[in-house]
Amino acid sequence: MQRPTPPAADGPADGPGQDAARLTAWVRGQVQGVGFRWYTRAQALAIGGLRGFARNHRDGRVEVVAEGPRDRCARLLDWLRTGDTPGRVEGVTEIWDTPRGGYADFDIR
């Protein structure tokens, strides 16, 4: 299955030629109570240039919102799908959008 290309965003993000993007991903599986949000934050910080959050939902999913250069958001998405994450990821659904801002860092909620 081919993954859709994230939409272009207006304005610079982290430097010349870097389009800013907003990724919202819902991660399904055994992803609560296993440190998933903390590892996601650590991965976002390791990638660099990402701001946003990871939070649990009552239905067992983890929501991840990341804003920053599109290629870095895509790296985080790839990690969510195929990386060495804690727990067991059964699926990830994503939506790409333009950044809304308002995040100082990448937080756990």
Side-chain angles (χ1 to χ4, degrees):
M1 184 167 136
Q2 191 174 25
R3 189 175 334 161
T5 303
D10 294 334
D14 221 28
Q18 294 283 342
D19 288 333
R22 176 186 177 96
L23 164 68
T24 303
W26 290 274
V27 185
R28 300 177 311 281
Q30 183 186 357
V31 291
Q32 290 190 12
V34 294
F36 190 89
R37 293 175 300 150
W38 295 99
Y39 275 88
T40 300
R41 179 181 184 272
Q43 185 66 23
L45 295 175
I47 291 170
L50 296 176
R51 295 179 174 161
F53 62 88
R55 73 173 157 203
N56 288 338
H57 280 265
R58 290 183 185 187
D59 64 5
R61 294 178 300 161
V62 171
E63 176 186 12
V64 178
V65 173
E67 293 187 354
R70 180 185 328 213
D71 62 333
R72 295 180 190 189
C73 290
R75 282 176 53 194
L76 182 63
L77 179 61
D78 287 342
W79 179 82
L80 291 169
R81 287 196 164 125
T82 63
D84 187 19
T85 62
R88 185 182 71 249
V89 174
E90 294 175 0
V92 179
T93 303
E94 92 259 13
I95 293 177
W96 291 91
D97 203 352
T98 56
R100 298 178 190 164
Y103 306 112
D105 200 354
F106 199 95
D107 297 316
I108 303 299
R109 294 189 175 174

